[in-house]
Amino acid sequence: MSIYKYTENFPGHEIYGLASQLRRAAVSAPANIAEGFRRHGKQDKKRFLNVSQGSLKECRYYLILAQDLSYGNSLGLIRGLEEISKLLDAYMRSIRDHS
């Protein structure tokens, strides 16, 4: 996972701070998509996908913070998150419109 590779070079004092938070949010996003995928109720499915969107926004913030702290260039990762977020929005719209 790109986030794990990116955080490998963070300062040691960030291992339980920013690195941990970023990794947790990065894992949460696809985990909630997966959990929501198997839900049958439209509202229940949308709730998990919404949590996933929140995790993506959280990742975006942490990547901006890491860039501001000079821990590495995160612009490519941010672009990737934005693309994933757009795809997730489209999936959520299709659930709303076709269920």
Side-chain angles (χ1 to χ4, degrees):
M1 181 177 256
S2 299
I3 295 290
Y4 274 76
K5 189 164 185 71
Y6 177 72
T7 57
E8 282 177 356
N9 296 318
F10 279 22
H13 67 272
E14 289 291 6
I15 192 83
Y16 298 109
L18 183 57
S20 177
Q21 289 293 99
L22 179 52
R23 288 176 175 188
R24 182 199 53 76
V27 169
S28 174
N32 277 288
I33 292 170
E35 191 165 351
F37 181 78
R38 295 301 297 167
R39 299 298 171 142
H40 295 290
K42 186 161 80 167
Q43 289 302 92
D44 203 23
K45 186 180 294 267
K46 285 174 25 180
R47 183 173 54 86
F48 280 98
L49 297 177
N50 190 47
V51 170
S52 182
Q53 278 288 29
S55 294
L56 291 174
K57 298 300 181 193
E58 189 177 353
C59 283
R60 185 178 187 280
Y61 167 74
Y62 293 143
L63 288 170
I64 291 168
L65 178 59
Q67 176 107 13
D68 289 349
L69 294 170
S70 300
Y71 291 168
N73 185 343
S74 63
L75 297 178
L77 291 169
I78 291 170
R79 276 191 230 106
L81 284 177
E82 290 169 352
E83 186 63 29
I84 293 166
S85 183
K86 287 177 188 176
L87 292 170
L88 189 52
D89 280 342
Y91 180 46
M92 291 172 74
R93 274 192 309 277
S94 76
I95 291 169
R96 181 192 68 216
D97 296 344
H98 296 101
S99 294

